[in-house]
């Protein structure tokens, strides 16, 4: 054993601990900078490879490398995967490392800039088109995509012109198809991943549509002469490609706005065909061609398996409320370590209503409202939401005693998420305009309470001036404001934040006579937590070590399964069929995630259960739930005492954003940044985006710069 110096203290005193903490705090930004620099270097190199891949120079380098790997354990497929998909996975692992060294607090504040700043991602350029509002950053991405598309197709076609004898049509068709397929596969990582499941912004959504148009055109040109039912062992197999195309076609058609809006369930269920799309694409292209896009697909499967495991758990509903305006509020039990921000949303399934239907809803509570619960507001519009309201109403009408609770089945839910923005950008503007339409006020209730909590707790928070503009059809919808008890959250808010609320009741010309009854308290149905069933912390957890271990372990498992398959099946049995090797490639991906990743998920879940079963946590949960129930058993009269005094009601007209923005500019001063967040119908979003664009283009010195942000998610 080593010896300790008599001059070396066994324990650090408080001064030494503080000095050590300062050194660590100063060192963390440097480590973060190094990791970000490495990620950018890898990304630029990978992007350069993708862009230059059509050239003979780059293809010559890659072919030389691929020929050198013939006969090795992973062969050409391993080399292609390493070159095209390896950088994607490496950037993912470095991102986990970045999160691990980052402090737990999600927002640390920003220094106020002396002058307004132009930001590409918050400047609306195209408004009212088929893809909604397109920012300058998204437009640059779209232009780059178009240039790359024409560049790649032109290069591939020119390279194949030597195979064309007097424009022999079959050869020309094959050349054109090869061009289309290479371009579409090269872009599949960035386009298809978000198109299939994630929330697409305008740029990636646009790219995804065009990728599928290219695949359609290429498939039509090629199968026109080659035959749609051919299934070759060596080379491209046509029939699997047609099946993959059909699955993708269903997803593509149902992704258009009219279908998503009117038939959400059809959209949601058809998008589960991504399994058919991926598997038959691998059968169609073979293992080494499929491995070009395998990195992004592997990350998608990692995320999907984790979300699947999370959504299997049933969650207790702490309480439910039916508001006069036809809106339902659910309070969901969650573990202490599950983190989210006010801009997130979740998928919700209520088992008593349906085992198949999942619906997305914005979070309406601040993460600082309570460590053990999360709230969502649900507007009653369709059959599923109507049944939910009817079930809650039945419980509300029963007497509040233990016997009635035992007789009536409690509502249980499954939750998937939270999804959405990781960065709380609502905290990054000193001046904030929140524009909502109807139930679009839901995330803004979370934003307001989040800001008030932060001000009260002296947490980093930039907003000082907040203007809420809310357009509704009828006065009874204003009862949603009653869920924001400003005075209890931050009693001295008036001294720290200047808050204004302007409501526009479009279908009423004057206040109803029974206006005082509209905002009356509403009885809340309480569902006691007997089994302590909380949301799973597999997503949104503050611990970034487990997700990193899960991703790395699954990747190692994939390499092991590929090696075992090659050594004990492909080589001994002389497997040469492209489609079969493509199927084995996908099988290894899935098996690695289920076996190796599943083992990590089990250990992760056991660790989570151990924490939840801790006596201290259980006592804290019980106390928190009791306080939550007693506090929210009936809605407070906060609207009467506080919110009403801050609200200006406008009947029979819609918001005039030119007037609103001009008035805000005069009140808040000149050279400032104003954050504008919109949540509502596409027409409302377009109106706000046009006004932001107009103000920014016409902006002169000593005038604010309006930054447009849309929170209107459309799956």
């Amino acid at each position: 054993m080593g010896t300790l110096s008599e001059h070396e203290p066994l324990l650090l005193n408080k001064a030494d601990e503080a000095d050590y903490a300062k050194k660590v705090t100063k060192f963390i930004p440097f480590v973060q900078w190094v990791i970000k620099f490495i990620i950018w270097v890898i990304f630029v190199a990978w992007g350069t490879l993708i862009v230059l891949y059509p050239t003979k120079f780059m293809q010559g380098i890659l072919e030389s490398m691929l020929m050198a790997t013939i006969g090795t354990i992973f062969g050409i497929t391993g080399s292609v995967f390493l070159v095209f998909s390896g950088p994607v996975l490496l950037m993912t692992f470095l991102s986990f490392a970045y999160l691990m060294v980052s402090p737990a607090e999600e927002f640390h504040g920003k220094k106020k800039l002396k002058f307004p700043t132009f930001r590409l991602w918050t400047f609306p350029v195209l408004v009212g088109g088929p893809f909604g509002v397109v920012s300058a950053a998204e437009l640059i991405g779209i232009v780059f995509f178009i240039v790359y598309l024409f560049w790649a197709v032109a290069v591939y076609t020119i390279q194949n012109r030597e195979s064309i004898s007097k424009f022999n049509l079959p050869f020309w068709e094959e050349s054109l198809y090869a061009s289309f397929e290479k371009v579409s596969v090269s872009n599949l990582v960035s386009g298809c991943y978000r198109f299939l499941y994630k929330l697409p912004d305008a740029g990636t959504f646009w790219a995804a549509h065009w990728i599928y148009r290219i695949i359609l055109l290429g498939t039509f040109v090629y199968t026109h002469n080659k035959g749609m039912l051919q299934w070759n062992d060596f080379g491209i197999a046509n029939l699997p490609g047609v099946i993959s195309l059909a699955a993708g076609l269903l997803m593509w058609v149902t992704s258009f706005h009219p279908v998503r809006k009117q038939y959400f369930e059809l959209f949601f269920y058809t998008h589960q065909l991504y399994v058919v799309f991926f598997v038959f694409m691998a059968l169609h292209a073979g293992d080494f061609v499929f491995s070009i896009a395998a990195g992004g697909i592997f990350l998608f499967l990692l995320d999907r398996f984790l979300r699947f495991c999370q959504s299997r758990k049933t969650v207790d509903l702490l309480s439910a409320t039916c508001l006069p305006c036809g809106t339902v509020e659910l309070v969901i039990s969650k573990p202490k370590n599950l983190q989210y921000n006010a801009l997130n949303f979740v998928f919700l399934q209520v088992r008593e209503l349906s085992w198949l239907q999942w619906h997305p809803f914005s979070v309406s509570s601040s993460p600082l409202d309570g460590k053990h619960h999360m709230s969502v507001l649900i507007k009653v519009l369709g059959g599923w939401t109507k049944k939910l309201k009817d079930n809650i109403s039945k419980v509300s009408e029963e007497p509040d005693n233990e016997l009635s609770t035992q007789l009536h089945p409690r509502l249980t839910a499954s939750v998937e998420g939270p999804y959405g923005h990781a960065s709380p950008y609502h905290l990054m503007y000193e001046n904030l305009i929140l524009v909502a339409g109807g139930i679009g006020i839901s995330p803004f209730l979370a934003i307001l309470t989040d800001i008030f909590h932060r001000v009260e707790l002296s947490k980093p928070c930039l907003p000082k001036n907040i203007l809420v503009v809310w357009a509704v059809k009828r006065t009874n919808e204003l009862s949603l404001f009653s869920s924001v008890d400003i005075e209890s959250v931050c009693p001295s808010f008036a001294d720290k934040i200047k808050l204004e609320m302007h409501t526009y009741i479009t279908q009423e010309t004057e206040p109803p006579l029974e206006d005082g009854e509209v905002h009356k308290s509403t009885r809340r149905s309480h569902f006691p937590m007997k089994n302590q069933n909380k949301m799973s912390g597999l997503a949104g957890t503050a611990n970034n070590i487990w997700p990193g271990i899960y991703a790395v372990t699954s990747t190692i498992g994939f390499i092991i399964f590929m090696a075992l398959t090659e050594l004990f099946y492909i080589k001994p049995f002389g497997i040469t069929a492209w489609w079969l090797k493509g199927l084995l490639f996908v099988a290894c991906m899935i098996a690695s995630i289920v076996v190796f990743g599943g083992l990590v998920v089990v250990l992760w879940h056991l660790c989570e259960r151990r924490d939840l079963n801790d006596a201290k946590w259980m006592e804290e949960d019980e106390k928190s739930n009791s306080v939550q129930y007693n506090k929210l058993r009936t809605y407070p009269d906060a609207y009467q005492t506080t919110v009403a005094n801050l609200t200006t009601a406008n009947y029979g007209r819609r918001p005039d954003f030119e007037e609103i923005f001009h008035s805000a500019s005069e009140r808040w001063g000149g050279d400032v940044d104003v954050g504008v967040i919109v949540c509502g119908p596409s027409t409302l979003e377009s109106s706000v985006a046009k006004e932001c664009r107009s103000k920014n283009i016409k902006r002169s010195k000593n005038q604010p710069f309006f930054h447009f942000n849309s929170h209107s998610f459309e799956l």
Side-chain angles (χ1 to χ4, degrees):
M1 293 179 65
T3 59
L4 293 173
S5 171
E6 60 180 358
H7 302 293
E8 184 177 351
L10 293 176
L11 296 174
L12 296 175
N13 56 40
K14 292 184 178 180
D16 292 333
E17 288 180 356
D19 186 52
Y20 176 76
K22 288 182 180 179
K23 291 180 179 179
V24 172
T25 303
K26 291 181 180 179
F27 183 68
I28 288 177
F30 173 74
V31 176
Q32 290 177 317
W33 181 88
V34 171
I35 295 175
K36 288 174 70 174
F37 177 77
I38 296 174
I39 291 175
W40 272 108
V41 170
I42 296 173
F43 176 75
V44 171
W46 179 71
T48 303
L49 169 67
I50 297 296
V51 172
L52 297 181
Y53 177 64
T55 64
K56 285 187 176 181
F57 170 75
M58 183 59 69
Q59 289 186 9
I61 295 177
L62 292 176
E63 287 177 6
S64 300
M65 183 187 69
L66 296 179
M67 294 301 295
T69 60
I70 294 179
T72 61
I73 186 172
F74 295 108
I76 295 177
T77 302
S79 299
V80 173
F81 182 84
L82 181 65
V83 171
F84 288 95
S85 298
V88 177
L89 297 178
L90 183 56
M91 286 187 287
T92 302
F93 301 152
L94 289 173
S95 298
F96 280 119
Y98 180 88
L99 293 174
M100 289 177 190
V101 301
S102 301
E105 175 65 43
E106 75 279 5
F107 177 74
H108 301 277
K110 282 188 174 183
K111 293 182 178 179
K112 180 185 176 182
L113 300 177
K114 294 182 178 179
F115 304 101
T117 55
F118 172 79
R119 301 169 192 172
L120 290 172
W121 52 92
T122 61
F123 183 82
V125 178
L126 303 180
V127 180
F131 297 101
V133 180
V134 179
S135 68
E138 292 169 337
L139 182 62
I140 291 173
I142 290 173
V143 171
F144 177 81
F145 177 84
I146 294 174
V147 172
Y148 171 71
L149 176 65
F150 281 99
W151 143 261
V153 171
V155 170
Y156 285 135
T157 304
I158 292 173
Q159 288 176 359
N160 293 331
R161 71 183 187 277
E162 297 176 358
S163 303
I164 303 169
S165 175
K166 296 182 181 180
F167 296 97
N168 189 303
L169 189 58
F171 286 102
W172 178 257
E173 289 176 347
E174 187 166 356
S175 172
L176 201 59
Y177 169 75
S179 305
F180 287 143
E181 185 176 61
K182 289 179 181 178
V183 172
S184 61
V185 171
S186 299
N187 286 277
L188 203 57
V189 173
S190 61
C192 194
Y193 171 57
R194 298 196 69 182
F195 172 56
L196 291 176
Y197 195 76
K198 294 296 181 183
L199 295 180
D201 58 342
T204 52
F205 196 42
W206 184 93
H209 275 280
W210 273 102
I211 286 173
Y212 203 77
R213 287 188 177 101
I214 294 167
I215 295 175
L216 270 177
L217 181 59
T219 304
F220 173 77
V221 168
Y222 186 70
T223 58
H224 165 72
N225 253 352
K226 295 294 181 180
M228 297 174 62
L229 302 180
Q230 288 185 359
W231 193 316
N232 302 321
D233 285 341
F234 186 80
I236 298 296
N238 290 350
L239 182 57
V242 173
I243 296 173
S244 177
L245 179 73
L249 183 62
L250 285 173
M251 291 188 291
W252 181 41
V253 171
T254 57
S255 68
F256 287 97
H257 181 266
V259 180
R260 294 199 313 272
K261 184 176 180 180
Q262 299 295 331
Y263 307 99
F264 173 79
E265 292 174 21
L266 176 63
F267 159 79
F268 184 79
Y269 293 143
T270 54
H271 271 62
Q272 308 313 307
L273 291 173
Y274 67 83
V275 177
V276 177
F277 180 80
F278 283 145
V279 171
F280 281 89
M281 182 175 66
L283 292 172
H284 167 67
D287 56 338
F288 74 89
V289 176
F290 182 79
S291 62
I292 295 176
I297 296 172
F298 187 69
L299 291 179
F300 168 78
L301 294 177
L302 280 173
D303 176 77
R304 194 65 199 92
F305 180 72
L306 198 61
R307 302 290 179 172
F308 174 81
C309 294
Q310 181 200 24
S311 63
R312 295 307 93 193
K313 185 175 182 180
T314 57
V315 182
D316 285 331
L317 298 179
L318 296 181
S319 62
T321 306
C322 295
L323 298 176
C325 59
T327 299
V328 174
E329 185 197 41
L330 301 181
V331 180
I332 305 167
S333 176
K334 81 172 189 67
K336 180 180 178 180
N337 67 334
L338 190 145
Q339 302 294 317
Y340 68 99
N341 69 54
L343 296 166
N344 287 162
F345 72 97
V346 295
F347 275 91
L348 186 66
Q349 175 204 61
V350 178
R351 300 287 176 89
E352 286 75 14
L353 303 183
S354 172
W355 282 77
L356 296 176
Q357 296 188 42
W358 291 82
H359 296 269
F361 301 103
S362 294
V363 173
S364 60
S365 61
S366 163
L368 299 176
D369 275 338
K371 298 178 181 179
H372 305 279
H373 67 272
M374 173 192 295
S375 301
V376 294
L377 287 172
I378 301 173
K379 182 71 173 178
V380 178
L381 294 173
W384 186 88
T385 53
K386 186 178 184 300
K387 286 194 294 183
L388 176 64
K389 181 184 178 182
D390 292 341
N391 278 28
I392 295 172
S393 298
K394 290 178 182 178
V395 180
S396 301
E397 294 170 358
E398 295 178 358
D400 189 9
N401 55 54
E402 185 176 353
L403 178 62
S404 64
T405 303
Q406 292 176 352
L407 293 176
H408 197 282
R410 62 191 177 94
L411 291 180
T412 54
S414 292
V415 182
E416 188 176 312
Y419 289 103
H421 297 277
S423 176
Y425 59 79
H426 62 283
L427 302 175
M428 301 177 183
Y429 301 99
E430 185 168 328
N431 306 284
L432 201 58
I433 299 179
L434 307 177
V435 183
I439 195 60
I441 195 65
S442 177
F444 295 159
L445 299 179
I447 287 176
L448 290 175
T449 52
D450 192 45
I451 292 173
F452 292 137
H453 275 298
R454 288 178 168 275
V455 170
E456 182 66 17
L457 299 174
S458 299
K459 287 179 171 286
C461 180
L462 287 185
K464 302 298 180 186
N465 302 302
I466 304 176
L467 171 62
V468 179
V469 180
W470 186 21
V472 297
K473 293 181 179 179
R474 299 192 177 278
T475 308
N476 63 351
E477 296 185 50
L478 299 180
S479 60
L480 291 176
F481 265 149
S482 62
S483 63
V484 182
D485 192 354
I486 301 176
E487 287 185 334
S488 66
V489 173
C490 183
S492 59
F493 77 94
D495 299 330
K496 300 174 182 178
I497 294 180
K498 186 176 181 181
L499 175 64
E500 299 178 64
M501 297 183 179
H502 294 269
T503 59
Y504 293 82
I505 300 88
T506 58
Q507 295 186 2
E508 294 180 2
T509 57
E510 58 184 16
L513 295 177
E514 64 278 6
D515 185 51
E517 298 294 325
V518 174
H519 316 294
K520 63 182 179 181
S521 297
T522 306
R523 192 173 184 276
R524 179 178 290 264
S525 302
H526 177 234
F527 303 92
M529 279 186 59
K530 294 183 178 180
N531 299 322
Q532 294 291 326
N533 292 329
K534 295 175 173 291
M535 287 176 59
S536 171
L538 295 180
T541 178
N543 186 351
N544 294 303
I545 297 176
W546 280 113
I549 296 174
Y550 167 72
V552 173
T553 304
S554 298
T555 304
I556 294 173
F558 174 60
I559 296 173
I560 293 174
F561 274 122
M562 283 293 295
L564 293 176
T565 303
E566 184 72 25
L567 290 174
F568 294 100
Y569 183 70
I570 294 179
K571 286 187 177 180
F573 292 92
I575 302 299
T576 58
W578 283 27
W579 66 267
L580 181 55
K581 294 176 76 172
L583 180 62
L584 293 173
F585 189 91
V586 174
C588 288
M589 290 175 63
I590 297 174
S592 65
I593 295 173
V594 174
V595 177
F596 285 82
L599 178 61
V600 175
V601 170
V602 170
L603 296 175
W604 187 354
H605 178 66
L606 292 176
C607 183
E608 182 183 75
R609 283 188 62 184
R610 183 194 64 187
D611 292 338
L612 291 177
N613 292 332
D614 184 83
K616 181 180 178 182
W617 273 46
M618 292 180 71
E619 182 181 352
E620 186 180 351
D621 287 354
E622 185 177 352
K623 182 179 179 181
S624 173
N625 294 332
S626 177
V627 171
Q628 171 71 6
Y629 172 52
N630 292 329
K631 179 182 176 182
L632 298 177
R633 191 183 183 92
T634 59
Y635 265 82
D637 292 328
Y639 188 93
Q640 307 286 349
T641 60
T642 303
V643 178
N645 297 331
L646 301 171
T647 303
T648 302
N650 301 272
Y651 288 87
R653 67 189 187 96
R654 299 180 182 277
D656 184 346
F657 292 109
E658 182 178 2
E659 176 187 342
I660 292 171
F661 282 30
H662 177 73
S663 177
S665 303
E666 291 184 341
R667 292 195 307 274
W668 295 343
D671 290 338
V672 295
D673 287 308
V674 178
V676 181
I677 307 179
V678 185
C679 185
S682 57
T683 53
L684 179 69
E685 181 180 315
S686 297
S687 299
V688 176
K690 287 179 181 178
E691 190 57 35
C692 287
R693 182 180 62 183
S694 175
K695 291 289 184 185
N696 293 338
I697 292 175
K698 298 177 182 178
R699 176 182 177 271
S700 58
K701 192 175 181 181
N702 297 324
Q703 287 188 338
F705 200 97
F706 293 92
H707 299 274
F708 177 83
N709 300 274
S710 174
H711 190 62
S712 302
F713 63 88
E714 290 186 352
L715 298 175

